[in-house]
Amino acid sequence: MTETITSRPVRTAAPGAPAALGGLGLFTVLLAAALPLVDFFIVNVALPTIGTDLSASEAVLELVVAGYGVAYAVLLVLGGRLGDLFGRRRLFLGGMAAFGLTSLACGLAPDAWSLVAARVAQGASAAAMLPQVLATIQATTTGPRRAKAMGLYGATAGLSMVAGQILGGVLVAADIAGTGWRSVFLVNVPVVLAGLFLAVRAVPETRSARPEPVDVPGTFLLAASILTLLVPLTEGRAAGWPLWTWLSLAAFPFVAAAFYAVERRADRAGRTPLVPPSLFAIVSLRRGLLIIVPFSIGFSGFMFVIAVALQQGAGLGPVAAGLALAPLAVVFFLFSLAGPRLVARYGTRVVPTGAALQGVGLALMTLAAWRSWPDLGLVELLPGAAVAGAGQALQLPVVLRLVLSEVPAERAGVGSGVMVTTQQSSLALGVATLGTLFLSLIPGMGMRDALVTTLLVQLAAVALTGLLSLRLPRTIV
């Protein structure tokens, strides 16, 4: 049963009978899904301009990227739980409004540290908004409609990560009304206003039929686990690897073990912990998450490294550096449209095929970097970028759909929070590890050889993704 709220043309779901998500509602939540991912990558090509304008050191610039990513990753599962508890539409609207305000604060930041603080707040806002997208899709769609919605979500996620970098280059170069790099944040404000207008009218309210209170010990221990891993990896190289970075990394396995123990105890006691270990009994979720980790590490690391290499090594401007990846974005979009039909016919066998294609594309880009440096740009990268884009489109949308395919509707918020946390933590880890490797190799090897070496390391991650995908369930529910 559904009931109509007369003050708004939005249906509210009663427990056990969720309201349907219409076309406009789906467009609205996908718009919201794009915003945090665009903003993770949009600053890559803007960092040199930000550093010059705000006289920011390399360590502070890394915090502009890492502060957002870490805050986002730390709070995602909590955001999903709060949506289950208080209503996903309510958290969605609040998170989106906060995302717009913090984007405005980023765009108006008077100095580098103000920008870092605003980026941390922006990441926290995204963590309140994004889990509600997947949870709403899970709770308000079934069968073919859910398959289509999840396919579109996966396509949106992948395209947003590439489009963010391209858009960042265009906006910085356009220097709209003299805003320069600030426009990469200010552009969010009108998009958020439009999204809020649509969400009030088109996104139904849902919540868990059996909401659980917030798992406070689990929340703190998960946050501590992510922080002890990501912060030293992100800031260690620029800070000269001081003692605190090594102590933090040494503490990580113990904090993570404590988190698992607390969650397992709560799960066995019949409560719903922040990340229920019993959730990982779902084979499709467990194996899908294992693929998301190396895929996301490699993807974000590549995007960061190629942005630095093209601007600081090949001497390209922000527009040329961004547009060099346009073939990847275009082909990704086209193959994403064909993905659902291929999955319906061949099942998850398209995922290892996609990994093989991505590997070939990455190898072609590595060869182009080795042979053409420093004359590296759109033309040289085009063949490899196009093939890699096709391969990525056959992996990411399918795996994201698979992970949540068997998660019960009442655990939609928890499941989506776990998946997006895994993805976001891996994206941040990719910048921290591959980015650190690349920047550390430059002084001794030079830009070209550092780039080639880093791309070969990513190629190993692609191979791992392909091997893991062989163990996926053959069909998606």
Side-chain angles (χ1 to χ4, degrees):
M1 297 288 291
T2 59
E3 60 176 339
T4 302
I5 302 176
T6 56
S7 61
R8 302 183 185 95
V10 175
R11 288 174 292 174
T12 302
L21 184 68
L24 184 60
L26 179 60
F27 171 81
T28 304
V29 296
L30 291 180
L31 177 68
L35 282 172
L37 289 169
V38 166
D39 267 62
F40 185 88
F41 291 94
I42 201 169
V43 299
N44 281 349
V45 293
L47 286 175
T49 310
I50 294 173
T52 301
D53 188 39
L54 299 183
S55 302
S57 67
E58 184 181 346
V60 175
L61 287 177
E62 289 190 359
L63 279 175
V64 171
V65 177
Y68 175 87
V70 171
Y72 188 17
V74 163
L75 297 172
L76 272 165
V77 178
L78 178 61
R81 172 60 62 83
L82 292 176
D84 287 349
L85 186 62
F86 296 111
R88 294 159 187 146
R89 179 173 177 269
R90 181 179 299 177
L91 263 290
F92 179 82
L93 291 170
M96 180 175 273
F99 191 85
L101 290 173
T102 52
S103 296
L104 181 63
C106 289
L108 300 178
D111 54 60
W113 285 107
S114 298
L115 178 59
V116 170
R119 283 284 281 174
V120 171
Q122 190 186 34
S125 303
M129 175 177 64
L130 188 61
Q132 319 316 325
V133 173
L134 285 166
T136 298
I137 290 173
Q138 286 292 103
T140 59
T141 59
T142 56
R145 292 184 67 252
R146 178 181 293 177
K148 179 181 178 182
M150 287 302 299
L152 288 172
Y153 174 85
T156 299
L159 191 59
S160 298
M161 290 189 281
V162 183
Q165 201 138 310
I166 298 172
L167 180 62
V170 171
L171 288 173
V172 170
D175 194 20
I176 301 170
T179 54
W181 61 267
R182 298 178 186 275
S183 60
V184 304
F185 301 113
L186 296 176
V187 71
N188 291 333
V189 177
V191 176
V192 164
L193 291 175
L196 289 171
F197 177 81
L198 294 173
V200 167
R201 286 156 176 77
V203 177
E205 178 66 282
T206 65
R207 56 169 52 87
S208 175
R210 296 185 298 274
E212 294 281 344
V214 173
D215 173 14
V216 176
T219 299
F220 278 108
L221 285 171
L222 177 61
S225 299
I226 294 174
L227 289 170
T228 53
L229 177 64
L230 291 183
V231 172
L233 287 177
T234 302
E235 288 297 301
R237 186 196 63 83
W241 297 106
L243 179 62
W244 70 265
T245 59
W246 298 108
L247 292 176
S248 180
L249 289 171
F252 166 70
F254 298 100
V255 179
F259 169 69
Y260 177 76
V262 167
E263 299 299 273
R264 185 177 60 177
R265 188 181 306 116
D267 211 10
R268 289 177 173 176
R271 301 190 300 273
T272 301
L274 189 70
V275 180
S278 59
L279 200 65
F280 295 94
I282 302 174
V283 174
S284 56
L285 179 139
R286 184 175 69 249
R287 295 183 180 174
L289 291 178
L290 284 175
I291 292 175
I292 286 175
V293 172
F295 181 93
S296 299
I297 287 174
F299 192 97
S300 64
F302 168 78
M303 297 295 285
F304 175 80
V305 166
I306 203 70
V308 174
L310 291 177
Q311 289 189 90
Q312 297 184 10
L316 299 184
V319 173
L323 292 179
L325 297 176
L328 193 155
V330 172
V331 175
F332 183 100
F333 175 72
L334 294 175
F335 271 72
S336 293
L337 297 178
R341 292 192 296 273
L342 293 173
V343 171
R345 183 170 182 178
Y346 300 108
T348 58
R349 284 176 291 181
V350 302
V351 179
T353 302
L357 280 174
Q358 185 187 2
V360 170
L362 189 60
L364 289 173
M365 286 190 282
T366 304
L367 182 62
W370 181 69
R371 295 181 60 182
S372 303
W373 189 264
D375 299 318
L376 192 65
L378 173 62
V379 174
E380 291 77 19
L381 291 174
L382 193 152
V387 175
Q392 290 169 340
L394 295 179
Q395 296 175 82
L396 184 62
V398 180
V399 172
L400 293 182
R401 174 183 162 191
L402 177 72
V403 168
L404 295 180
S405 60
E406 297 181 81
V407 175
E410 64 271 15
R411 282 189 161 183
V414 176
S416 62
V418 169
M419 187 186 79
V420 181
T421 297
T422 302
Q423 182 187 26
Q424 183 59 39
S425 299
S426 301
L427 289 174
L429 194 58
V431 174
T433 53
L434 291 179
T436 296
L437 173 66
F438 173 64
L439 295 173
S440 299
L441 291 176
I442 291 174
M445 301 178 67
M447 185 76 76
R448 186 198 71 168
D449 290 347
L451 175 61
V452 168
T453 302
T454 306
L455 292 179
L456 289 174
V457 172
Q458 190 202 343
L459 193 58
V462 174
L464 176 60
T465 302
L467 291 173
L468 291 172
S469 67
L470 296 174
R471 302 187 68 244
L472 290 176
R474 289 301 182 191
T475 58
I476 301 178
V477 178

